[in-house]
Amino acid sequence: MSTPSPQGSLRRFWLALLLQVGLVALVPARKALTLATGTPIYLQIAPVDPYDLLRGRYVALSYTVAQFSTLEKLPGWSPELSRPGILYLRLAPPNGDPAQPWQAIGISRDRPRELQPKEVVLQGWFDGGQLRFGIEEFFISEALGDVLELEIRRHPETLRAEVKVDPWGQAALVGLWVGEQRY
C-alpha cells in the first residue's frame, strides 16, 4: 500500500475547503441573486416599531396585500387555500407612478405559469391568517430609529416597502419609504 503524495493531500484539502466555502456562500447568494436580478416593486405596509434588546431597533412590517381580509377577496381564493402552506400572490403595477404600491390581482397554491407583461409573483407562506414573504423585518440604526418613528407617526398612509422579486417569487427588502424619503 502506498502513502498519499503531498500533492494529492493538498488537492483534497483545497477541494474540501472549496466545498465548505461554497455551501456557506449559498445562503446569502440567493438574496444577492434576487437583489441583482429582481424586479423592483412597492408594497403598502402597516408598521409596528418594537425594540429588541438583542438585535437593536427594527420595524416589523405587515403588508396589506398579505392580510387574510385581502387574500380572501382575490380571484383564485378558495377555502382550500386557508390551510397553512405555500401560496403565490400575483401583483400588478399601479397605473401611473411605478413607485406607488402594487395591487394584488390573484392567489393560488401553484405558481402561475403565464403572467401578463410587468406582473410579478410573490411566493409566501400562509400561516392561516397572513401571508409571509420573509421580508417582515427592517433593521435600522439607533440614530435613525427616532427620526423614522416620528416620520411614520406623521405620515402613516405614505409608508411603503421597496422590494425586489426574482423570477421564482422570492423577495428581498431593499428599502422603506415614508412619503418621498427613502430609508
Side-chain angles (χ1 to χ4, degrees):
M1 189 175 249
S2 66
T3 59
S5 71
Q7 195 174 34
S9 295
L10 189 58
R11 223 180 269 147
R12 282 193 299 276
F13 168 77
W14 284 110
L15 182 61
L17 182 64
L18 183 62
L19 181 63
Q20 290 174 5
V21 169
L23 288 173
V24 171
L26 281 177
V27 175
R30 180 71 172 165
K31 282 288 184 208
L33 179 64
T34 301
L35 288 170
T37 65
T39 301
I41 68 169
Y42 296 84
L43 299 174
Q44 189 73 45
I45 54 180
V48 178
D49 192 9
Y51 186 76
D52 183 332
L53 294 175
L54 297 176
R55 295 189 287 185
R57 264 201 134 127
Y58 66 95
V59 179
L61 306 173
S62 174
Y63 300 94
T64 56
V65 295
Q67 296 172 346
F68 182 78
S69 59
T70 301
L71 299 174
E72 67 180 346
K73 296 174 187 167
L74 292 175
W77 180 262
S78 69
E80 186 269 330
L81 296 182
S82 63
R83 290 182 290 135
I86 293 174
L87 294 179
Y88 294 90
L89 184 66
R90 283 180 53 209
L91 297 166
N95 292 328
D97 184 2
Q100 291 306 307
W102 286 45
Q103 301 300 310
I105 58 169
I107 187 91
S108 64
R109 187 67 73 185
D110 299 318
R111 188 181 188 295
R113 294 174 191 232
E114 306 254 342
L115 297 174
Q116 296 300 314
K118 298 187 181 180
E119 286 182 359
V120 297
V121 173
L122 266 176
Q123 178 185 332
W125 177 264
F126 186 65
D127 62 12
Q130 183 170 328
L131 191 56
R132 300 192 183 280
F133 307 115
I135 52 171
E136 284 74 26
E137 292 179 343
F138 183 71
F139 291 89
I140 54 177
S141 68
E142 286 293 323
L144 188 59
D146 293 334
V147 173
L148 179 58
E149 187 174 359
L150 184 61
E151 286 301 306
I152 290 171
R153 289 176 196 247
R154 285 184 184 161
H155 310 285
E157 70 285 350
T158 66
L159 188 60
R160 63 195 186 281
E162 182 179 351
V163 175
K164 283 207 173 181
V165 182
D166 70 18
W168 303 275
Q170 301 299 309
L173 188 56
V174 177
L176 194 61
W177 288 80
V178 181
E180 298 305 313
Q181 180 65 42
R182 183 177 190 263
Y183 294 91

